[in-house]
Amino acid sequence: MEEPLLTGPPVVTLRNAWTRPYDGAIAAARTCYSPRVIGADEITSGQRESIGPLTFEAGHHTVYQHAHFEFGLENVSRQFVWAFLHAHPFYNSEQSSQRFVRLDRVAAYVPPGLSAPARAVYEQELGEAWATYRALAALLKEDTQRILGEIRHLTPGAAEKRKKKVAREAEKKAIELARYVIPVAAFTSMVHTLSGIVLHRLHRMMRTGDAPTEGAAVVTAMVDHVRALDPDFFGRVGDGPLAAEQVVESRWPDLQADGDAVAADLDLRLGSRTSVLVDCTARGPQTTAEAVRALLGASRESLPDADAIARVLDPSLNRYRLETLNLNVHAPLSRALHHASYTFLKRLSHTADSQDQRHRMVPGSRPLMTLTDTRGPDFVTPPLVAANPRAHEIYLASMERAWRAKQRLLEMDVPREAALYVLPNAKALRFHETGNLLYLAHKWVMRTCFNAQEEIYRASMDELDQVRAVHPELVRHMGPPCVLRAGRITPTCTEGEHFCGVPVWRSFPAVERRI
């Protein structure tokens, strides 16, 4: 490698926490049987010994949900975050973005136990991936600057300040595309907050998923911090981690067929789409209308189906839909959208899905990469990369090299879990995702904006197109914030100085996204 690899163990800090989480849980339990709220300072030694284990072992876990722990996480891989930390809905994270933060250093996770020859292969691939990232970013900046200049109507005589702003935006767009070649081993940092009961669950399940070794190290450090704060919170309750041999997915015989053939079969179903509708609530529009009538106490005569659906989905009538605070789950009327659900088969890159899975109320059954691995390169190519011959050539060579490195590591008897870390962000993932209309509507608002990550934008447009074909009345008022707000409320665009530069609201969904 031309430059040193920055690696090391996870860095876990406890930024904020309840000072007495265990006593607080018992006080909450006691409050259920008291005419007043019980305080943590009222808990006795006997109650710690009796009420705590009794509630936990009986499954009355909500009392352990009141305490929250805010962690700072550094030196954790993108693979671990995707496979474990963000693979469930009960957390909050603010994570360093590869879309907007240039990766200047080769900083990544190195699995423990690699032999010297295996580590050399591993580190060589990391170094070459970063070199490709820099080359692509430089190559693509000219393309992104040209396109953005056209969108922004940037003339040679434009003010210098305006030119610099477009240049900065073009650089961000270029690194957003170049990041596809960065390995999923790349380090990230984040603020990560979860409740006490979720931390207990993660502790129990820390050896599941595609990154059990890294997961055990990170979660153990998190639990150790809480033990130091309050020894009782894990000392008096909890079953401890499942042993590796107790993990259900690893107890069965290996079912892996030809991963390449399975991927090809799913791609055949997807065709040219990023997301394909495979199932839905057959009477979605009718049931939604009936739910609105039941909620409002209306009859079919006074509120026919079309009018009922308009009441809940037309932003002129249901102005909750114009709020940027996303009030719909709290709005009695909007909750009628819970009853129509849609399931999609999707194909996204690892990096795009890392963003897609943040829509936690639209859950997916994401693949175990260790069980769906392919011998041949299996990746997503951004359109702007494909459109630049030199960039595309470099990109394809990077994909071939990454898969060769992974295969070489497997041939050296490196566990698949460890070998997969060298695969790039571009790695293709295929999975099913289901959401009801309430949560999909929010996702479609956020992800049909031109500022959304491009793959998720394409998937959302695919989804709207297909739902429009089966239930047109339910997506008549769907689109990005500017489409919902145009002519109803100002400002039309909620992105401020990050406005994409295209008046999407004038012709949506018949729009062209160039970058």
Side-chain angles (χ1 to χ4, degrees):
M1 291 178 59
E2 296 181 358
E3 60 184 292
L5 166 66
L6 298 175
T7 190
V11 178
V12 179
T13 54
L14 184 58
R15 291 162 46 99
N16 286 295
W18 265 236
T19 55
R20 299 171 65 183
Y22 187 69
D23 285 357
I26 296 172
R30 281 192 57 199
T31 298
C32 295
Y33 299 93
S34 171
R36 63 181 181 84
V37 174
I38 303 298
D41 57 350
E42 299 179 64
I43 302 307
T44 67
S45 176
Q47 290 166 347
R48 291 187 189 100
E49 292 181 6
S50 60
I51 296 177
L54 178 65
T55 54
F56 197 96
E57 291 166 13
H60 303 305
H61 293 148
T62 55
V63 298
Y64 297 93
Q65 193 170 339
H66 297 289
H68 276 67
F69 305 98
E70 180 189 300
F71 294 98
L73 302 180
E74 298 171 277
N75 287 12
V76 295
S77 75
R78 294 272 171 174
Q79 171 75 337
F80 164 66
V81 173
W82 169 81
F84 189 79
L85 279 190
H86 289 172
H88 66 96
F90 308 114
Y91 68 89
N92 188 44
S93 285
E94 308 306 327
Q95 182 179 359
S96 177
S97 171
Q98 286 185 342
R99 293 181 70 193
F100 307 123
V101 179
R102 178 180 287 278
L103 303 177
D104 291 322
R105 306 181 304 169
V106 183
Y109 175 76
V110 177
L114 294 180
S115 66
R119 181 159 180 148
V121 171
Y122 189 96
E123 292 193 10
Q124 180 70 21
E125 174 52 32
L126 296 186
E128 293 190 8
W130 252 268
T132 304
Y133 167 78
R134 296 188 184 104
L136 278 176
L139 268 173
L140 294 167
K141 185 178 177 182
E142 183 177 337
D143 293 343
T144 57
Q145 190 154 354
R146 172 180 51 79
I147 294 170
L148 287 170
E150 293 170 0
I151 291 172
R152 306 291 188 194
H153 306 290
L154 195 67
T155 63
E160 196 63 30
K161 182 178 179 181
R162 190 155 174 261
K163 289 180 180 178
K164 288 182 178 178
K165 182 179 179 181
V166 171
R168 286 194 301 270
E169 188 179 356
E171 183 175 4
K172 288 182 179 179
K173 290 292 185 182
I175 65 171
E176 178 180 350
L177 296 166
R179 83 188 195 280
Y180 274 70
V181 303
I182 291 291
V184 298
F187 276 155
T188 187
S189 55
M190 64 174 62
V191 175
H192 190 72
T193 300
L194 33 70
S195 74
I197 192 59
V198 171
L199 185 55
H200 266 285
R201 291 169 181 159
L202 294 188
H203 191 219
R204 182 76 169 153
M205 298 289 284
M206 69 186 191
R207 294 189 178 93
T208 59
D210 280 325
T213 303
E214 188 180 1
V218 176
V219 175
T220 296
M222 295 164 78
V223 169
D224 285 347
H225 276 295
V226 175
R227 287 187 194 276
L229 174 75
D230 182 353
D232 287 343
F233 198 76
F234 279 90
R236 291 184 181 269
V237 295
D239 297 320
L242 291 168
E245 63 272 13
Q246 293 177 297
V247 173
V248 169
E249 293 86 354
S250 65
R251 296 178 67 180
W252 298 326
D254 187 359
L255 301 175
Q256 184 172 344
D258 182 344
D260 300 74
V262 172
D265 180 63
L266 291 172
D267 284 348
L268 190 63
R269 295 180 62 190
L270 282 158
S272 61
R273 291 193 183 274
T274 301
S275 185
V276 168
L277 181 66
V278 296
D279 199 7
C280 66
T281 305
R283 296 187 67 256
Q286 295 87 345
T287 300
T288 300
E290 290 164 5
V292 171
R293 284 194 291 268
L295 186 149
L296 298 177
S299 66
R300 187 182 298 273
E301 291 70 31
S302 64
L303 195 65
D305 283 6
D307 293 341
I309 290 170
R311 287 279 184 100
V312 70
L313 284 172
D314 186 339
S316 299
L317 300 174
N318 181 2
R319 296 186 72 83
Y320 295 130
R321 298 200 66 211
L322 301 177
E323 297 269 354
T324 59
L325 192 56
N326 188 20
L327 301 176
N328 290 294
V329 72
H330 303 282
L333 176 62
S334 299
R335 288 196 288 261
L337 299 176
H338 274 307
H339 309 296
S341 293
Y342 301 87
T343 298
F344 301 93
L345 170 63
K346 310 182 75 162
R347 180 180 185 265
L348 293 175
S349 69
H350 195 292
T351 191
D353 190 45
S354 293
Q355 181 68 49
D356 187 65
Q357 71 178 174
R358 298 299 299 278
H359 288 275
R360 285 156 282 188
M361 305 318 293
V362 185
S365 53
R366 288 168 170 86
L368 283 165
M369 285 174 59
T370 46
L371 300 182
T372 59
D373 185 29
T374 61
R375 284 192 64 87
D378 180 32
F379 57 90
V380 172
T381 303
L384 274 184
V385 172
N388 181 315
R390 178 57 182 151
H392 196 205
E393 180 184 6
I394 292 173
Y395 188 85
L396 293 179
S398 179
M399 297 297 113
E400 291 282 351
R401 190 190 64 242
W403 260 266
R404 280 199 308 270
K406 184 262 296 182
Q407 287 299 130
R408 178 73 183 114
L409 289 169
L410 292 176
E411 290 164 5
M412 300 170 79
D413 293 325
V414 171
R416 197 174 299 270
E417 167 198 349
L420 291 175
Y421 277 97
V422 300
L423 293 184
N425 280 331
K427 163 64 183 165
L429 304 169
R430 299 161 185 82
F431 58 95
H432 289 78
E433 189 174 79
T434 298
N436 68 47
L437 193 59
L438 179 69
Y439 297 121
L440 282 169
H442 173 66
K443 183 177 182 179
W444 290 334
V445 166
M446 300 301 292
R447 302 305 171 187
T448 55
C449 171
F450 275 17
N451 285 343
Q453 205 276 353
E454 186 173 17
E455 282 184 71
I456 306 176
Y457 167 83
R458 302 290 178 199
S460 296
M461 294 296 283
D462 276 349
E463 289 160 10
L464 280 176
D465 183 52
Q466 292 166 93
V467 175
R468 191 177 293 115
V470 294
H471 295 157
E473 55 271 71
L474 293 184
V475 293
R476 182 167 293 123
H477 299 288
M478 295 293 176
C482 63
V483 169
L484 271 61
R485 297 168 67 90
R488 298 183 176 102
I489 193 172
T490 57
T492 299
C493 174
T494 57
E495 292 289 313
E497 65 177 18
H498 299 298
F499 170 49
C500 69
V502 181
V504 171
W505 60 89
R506 293 178 183 169
S507 55
F508 187 86
V511 291
E512 178 191 8
R513 175 170 168 169
R514 298 182 61 196
I515 191 169

